[in-house]
């Protein structure tokens, strides 16, 4: 199974948007790279948690669902990073 370049770009944009939204919600900045890193890690965390707990948002647009999952995950990642640091 191969992931296309377009899929990588969409994944990075979702991570960037999620990291930016998380920084707006919980505060802080971190710049472009900080938002990207927290968003990409948050995408994995959010996707895992929503799947693990069987939470379905009832939204038909997959892109919106992925951004929400990634944003929730990024918020968790940022909050956990603040507890550790």
């Amino acid at each position: 199974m191969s992931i296309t370049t377009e899929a990588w770009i969409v994944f990075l944009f979702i991570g960037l948007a999620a990291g930016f939204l998380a920084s707006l919600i919980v505060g802080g900045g971190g710049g472009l790279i900080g938002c990207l890193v927290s968003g990409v890690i948050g995408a994995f965390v959010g996707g895992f948690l929503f799947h693990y707990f069987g939470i379905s948002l009832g939204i038909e647009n997959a892109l919106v669902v992925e951004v929400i999952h990634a944003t929730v995950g990024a918020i968790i990642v940022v909050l956990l990073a603040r507890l550790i640091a």
Side-chain angles (χ1 to χ4, degrees):
M1 185 161 118
S2 134
I3 299 179
T4 63
T5 305
E6 293 86 11
W8 280 108
I9 292 171
V10 169
F11 178 71
L12 292 176
F13 275 123
I14 289 172
L16 184 62
F20 176 73
L21 290 172
S23 71
L24 288 178
I25 293 169
V26 296
L32 183 66
I33 301 298
C35 287
L36 183 62
V37 169
S38 66
V40 168
I41 295 171
F44 288 109
V45 171
F48 171 77
L49 290 175
F50 275 81
H51 178 73
Y52 182 78
F53 290 112
I55 299 171
S56 175
L57 300 175
I59 301 172
E60 293 185 21
N61 189 336
L63 184 61
V64 173
V65 171
E66 293 302 321
V67 169
I68 292 171
H69 287 182
T71 302
V72 171
I75 290 169
I76 293 169
V77 166
V78 169
L79 292 175
L80 285 175
R82 286 185 184 172
L83 286 176
I84 293 171

